[in-house]
């Protein structure tokens, strides 16, 4: 079975983050893995609306944009990469909007990304790349994905377009991350084939809201 990795590019431009993901795609191809980059800048993505019922509804968001199709591709993949540049000392707004829309509107009900193999890439001139890495990693863990330790974080320093190619150490870390992701995907797929089990790791209760006092009270009314 060919491993499939989907990368979410949270940059507003075809710049250094896109270049780093092209490098990641080449690494994946050398390992026989399919790699698809989804550029958020090319999508129709609405912001969270004024309805305010996200904490109560048990079904997908009703807004009509391109996010459901992206989520479906992520669910069908074996591995997920979140890649974003640092803008204003934080995560680029496109990625932040995507995290909010996908997480609140589609992923929180049953955590369909559970046990996907995940990686995170942050691109910055020099500052706050670790903050962005931390934010994206927290989202990965929230969705119960599997993070494969690969050494130093996949953080690439770049300012002007094309500068990413000069950060040899950063690209080396990206290479290691993708290689380890493919290794883990293959390991998990082999396990599934040998055991016939689809549930590699039991994630237990997939909805963190179950058991919360307020939600239990509402359910009883």
């Amino acid at each position: 079975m060919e491993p499939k990795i989907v990368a979410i590019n949270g940059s507003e431009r075809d710049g250094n983050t896109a270049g780093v993901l092209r490098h990641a795609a080449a690494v994946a191809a050398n390992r026989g893995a399919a790699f698809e980059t989804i550029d958020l800048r090319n999508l129709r993505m609405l912001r969270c609306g004024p309805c305010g019922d996200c904490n109560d509804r048990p079904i997908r968001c009703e807004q009509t944009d391109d996010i459901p199709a992206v989520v479906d591709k992520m669910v069908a993949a074996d591995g997920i990469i979140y890649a974003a540049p640092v803008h204003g000392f934080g995560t680029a707004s496109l990625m932040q909007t995507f995290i909010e829309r996908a997480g609140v509107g589609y992923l929180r009900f049953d955590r369909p990304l559970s046990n996907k193999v995940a990686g995170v890439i942050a691109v910055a001139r020099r500052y706050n790349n670790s903050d962005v890495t931390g934010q994206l990693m927290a989202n990965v863990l929230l969705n119960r994905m599997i993070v494969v330790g690969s050494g130093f974080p996949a953080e690439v320093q770049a300012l002007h377009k094309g500068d990413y190619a000069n950060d040899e150490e950063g690209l080396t870390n990206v290479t290691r991350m993708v290689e380890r992701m493919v290794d883990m995907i293959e390991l998990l797929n082999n396990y599934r084939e040998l055991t016939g089990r689809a549930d590699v790791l039991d994630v237990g209760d997939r909805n963190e809201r179950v058991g919360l006092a307020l939600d239990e009270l509402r359910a009883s009314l």
Side-chain angles (χ1 to χ4, degrees), residues 77-90:
D78 300 297
I80 308 294
I81 293 177
Y82 287 136
V86 175
H87 287 174
F89 295 98

Side-chain angles (χ1 to χ4, degrees), residues 105-118:
Y106 304 93
L107 300 177
R108 71 187 310 175
F109 309 118
D110 59 1
R111 298 297 174 198
L113 301 185
S114 295
N115 295 333
K116 305 293 183 185
V117 180

Side-chain angles (χ1 to χ4, degrees), residues 148-170:
V148 183
S150 52
F152 295 115
E155 297 176 351
V156 179
Q157 292 189 353
L159 175 58
H160 302 293
K161 186 174 181 177
D163 282 353
Y164 78 92
N166 300 322
D167 187 359
E168 181 177 350
E169 181 177 359

Side-chain angles (χ1 to χ4, degrees), residues 86-97:
V86 175
H87 287 174
F89 295 98
T91 304
S93 60
L94 271 182
M95 179 61 86
Q96 178 62 33
T97 299

Side-chain angles (χ1 to χ4, degrees), residues 5-11 17 20-21 35 38 40 70-71 74 79-85 91 95 98-100 102-103 107 111 113 117-123 132-133 135-143 145 154 177 181:
I5 296 174
V6 168
I8 307 298
N9 179 7
S11 176
T17 305
V20 172
L21 287 175
F35 192 102
I38 297 175
L40 297 181
V70 175
V71 170
M74 295 169 73
I80 308 294
I81 293 177
Y82 287 136
T91 304
M95 179 61 86
F98 176 77
I99 287 174
E100 293 175 11
L107 300 177
R111 298 297 174 198
L113 301 185
V117 180
V120 166
I121 298 173
V123 180
V132 171
T133 293
Q135 180 186 356
L136 298 180
M137 190 62 70
N139 187 264
V140 162
L141 298 176
L142 172 66
N143 283 286
M145 292 189 264
M177 184 194 76
M181 288 180 66

Side-chain angles (χ1 to χ4, degrees), residues 34-50:
F35 192 102
E36 179 181 3
T37 296
I38 297 175
D39 298 308
L40 297 181
R41 68 181 182 276
N42 295 330
L43 302 183
R44 181 174 179 267
M45 181 167 59
L46 302 173
R47 295 186 178 275
C48 286

